[in-house]
Amino acid sequence: MTELRTHEDLPVGAARGEWELLLDEDPAASLFQGPRYLSVWHRVLGQRSTARVHTVHDDDGRLIGVVPEGHEREGSATGPVEVRRFLGGTHVTDYLGPVARPEDRADVAEAYMAALAADRDWDDAVLAGLPVDSGWGDLLARAAADHGLSIFERGTEAVCPRVDLSGGYDRYLSGLKGKLRHELTRKARKLARDAGELALIEVSADEVPEQMELFLEMARGAEREKAGFFARPELRGWFRELASEFGPDGTLRLHRLDVGGMPGAMTVSLVHRGEWGVYNSAFDAALGALAPGMVLIGELIERAAREGCVVLDLLRGDESYKYQFGAEDRAVERIVLVRSR
């Protein structure tokens, strides 16, 4: 038998430490599903969401699962509705959902769906951000049906293109189609020839706060959609808080590609447990035709592989440039539940 315990707000102390340990034992989980990231998100961007964390324990009281949940009241054509979601906003959080060891996932899904069915104070349960290859979608759908909940909607909500580096950098290069490999080399040579010498700079931890300001200014000068995103004060604050939380221990990495001695492109990366996630990027609009951002990501792929990372994840979005690095999609799905009886 399993026991589900519900906690108001995010845990601290020993309970938080147990969650962190479980995160490391779940091969499908990401930094986005851990207490550090979700605590920052809830403080900075998630004030409208009431945090509630469900923990699942076995007969011996051992923690086997964590389901971070947010409760929100939203408007609709028929009036306010109560919505249950996995904690973390999908506009800044690439993966969401439960955390558990593979052998415990079915029990965790069963316990969570039993609790959701027993809770009468919700109208919609939107379970988004689930990597399809984790198997959570099938387990949650099966448990939902067992507890009288119907799937109103299920489908792919996004893709995260990923570059396989498990064989090292040389194997990655040899696996690229010749045209792609040649094009990446050509872009770097053209940028250096037309704009000046290239230098990849990894920003030191103590310089991250200052250089994050440079990144934010560069991003605000980007194309309309990205510039609009970074024009919002709360989102600029979000990146500053991420840098404050994850910069000192090297989880958050800032890289700058200097072109002719001047900043030409920058990336914000989150590196966790052998996976390098390119969280956001920006480049000098004046160099746009010379693709400095592409050149920088090409350099990061080599840096990630040399560091021993097995994946470089370009995260949400199917922008065409991502596939020029040989990336392959990882589908992320969403399930919307309603009560069938």
Side-chain angles (χ1 to χ4, degrees):
M1 290 290 292
T2 59
E3 178 190 5
L4 183 139
R5 305 171 190 170
T6 299
H7 312 267
E8 302 299 330
D9 214 340
L10 289 145
V12 296
R16 175 169 167 151
E18 284 187 282
W19 185 352
E20 290 281 9
L21 289 173
L22 188 63
L23 189 75
D24 287 339
E25 295 180 10
D26 181 347
S30 69
L31 177 76
F32 301 112
Q33 294 154 271
R36 288 179 68 192
Y37 176 91
L38 290 174
S39 293
V40 178
W41 178 84
H42 191 243
R43 184 177 73 250
V44 180
L45 296 177
Q47 300 95 333
R48 292 180 58 246
S49 181
T50 300
R52 186 170 291 169
V53 177
H54 304 287
T55 58
V56 183
H57 305 259
D58 65 13
D59 288 338
D60 297 323
R62 182 181 66 115
L63 179 69
I64 64 169
V66 178
V67 186
E69 190 182 69
H71 297 191
E72 299 177 14
R73 177 177 285 257
E74 299 181 359
S76 73
T78 58
V81 294
E82 293 289 337
V83 182
R84 301 288 182 263
R85 301 180 186 276
F86 292 136
L87 201 62
T90 54
H91 62 303
V92 296
T93 307
D94 294 83
Y95 300 115
L96 298 92
V99 177
R101 303 172 191 88
E103 65 270 21
D104 295 322
R105 286 181 192 153
D107 288 338
V108 172
E110 161 67 24
Y112 177 55
M113 283 299 141
L116 197 61
D119 177 6
R120 309 302 299 180
D121 192 25
W122 59 272
D123 299 293
D124 297 320
V126 182
L127 310 180
L130 296 164
V132 170
D133 58 14
S134 71
W136 277 115
D138 290 337
L139 292 169
L140 290 168
R142 190 177 307 126
D146 290 343
H147 288 280
L149 303 173
S150 296
I151 296 176
F152 176 75
E153 176 188 333
R154 182 180 180 183
T156 300
E157 68 169 354
V159 294
C160 294
R162 290 155 60 94
V163 177
D164 181 8
L165 299 176
S166 58
Y169 186 64
D170 293 337
R171 183 172 178 181
Y172 160 72
L173 283 181
S174 66
L176 276 181
K177 293 180 180 178
K179 183 178 179 181
L180 292 180
R181 189 166 57 248
H182 170 74
E183 188 63 18
L184 293 179
T185 304
R186 187 191 69 80
K187 280 183 168 62
R189 289 175 177 170
K190 180 174 175 56
L191 178 61
R193 184 184 69 240
D194 294 354
E197 184 179 356
L198 308 182
L200 175 64
I201 309 297
E202 180 168 341
V203 177
S204 63
D206 60 337
E207 293 180 317
V208 163
E210 176 186 350
Q211 289 291 302
M212 181 61 79
E213 298 303 317
L214 176 60
F215 169 80
L216 293 173
E217 285 305 307
M218 188 178 287
R220 290 183 72 180
E223 71 276 6
R224 180 179 297 179
E225 183 176 354
K226 182 181 283 283
F229 180 88
F230 282 98
R232 296 165 59 184
E234 71 273 17
L235 290 169
R236 295 198 301 276
W238 164 248
F239 275 82
R240 293 180 182 116
E241 290 295 326
L242 271 187
S244 177
E245 174 67 31
F246 292 105
D249 67 5
T251 299
L252 182 142
R253 314 276 183 92
L254 267 179
H255 287 83
R256 190 181 74 239
L257 182 70
D258 286 354
V259 182
M262 299 294 290
M266 296 185 73
T267 55
V268 179
S269 301
L270 295 171
V271 182
H272 176 249
R273 211 178 55 190
E275 295 198 1
W276 186 302
V278 181
Y279 188 63
N280 217 300
S281 62
F283 58 86
D284 182 348
L287 296 173
L290 296 174
M294 292 283 291
V295 175
L296 175 51
I297 291 176
E299 293 286 343
L300 289 188
I301 290 174
E302 181 173 5
R303 179 69 59 93
R306 303 296 186 204
E307 193 172 307
C309 291
V310 296
V311 168
L312 184 130
D313 195 330
L314 291 161
L315 299 175
R316 288 197 183 209
D318 60 355
E319 295 90 341
S320 60
Y321 79 86
K322 297 180 179 181
Y323 303 99
Q324 295 183 45
F325 299 102
E328 295 186 356
D329 285 342
R330 184 190 198 190
V332 178
E333 68 176 325
R334 179 178 70 169
I335 301 173
V336 180
L337 299 177
V338 296
R339 291 186 178 85
S340 59
R341 61 175 184 266

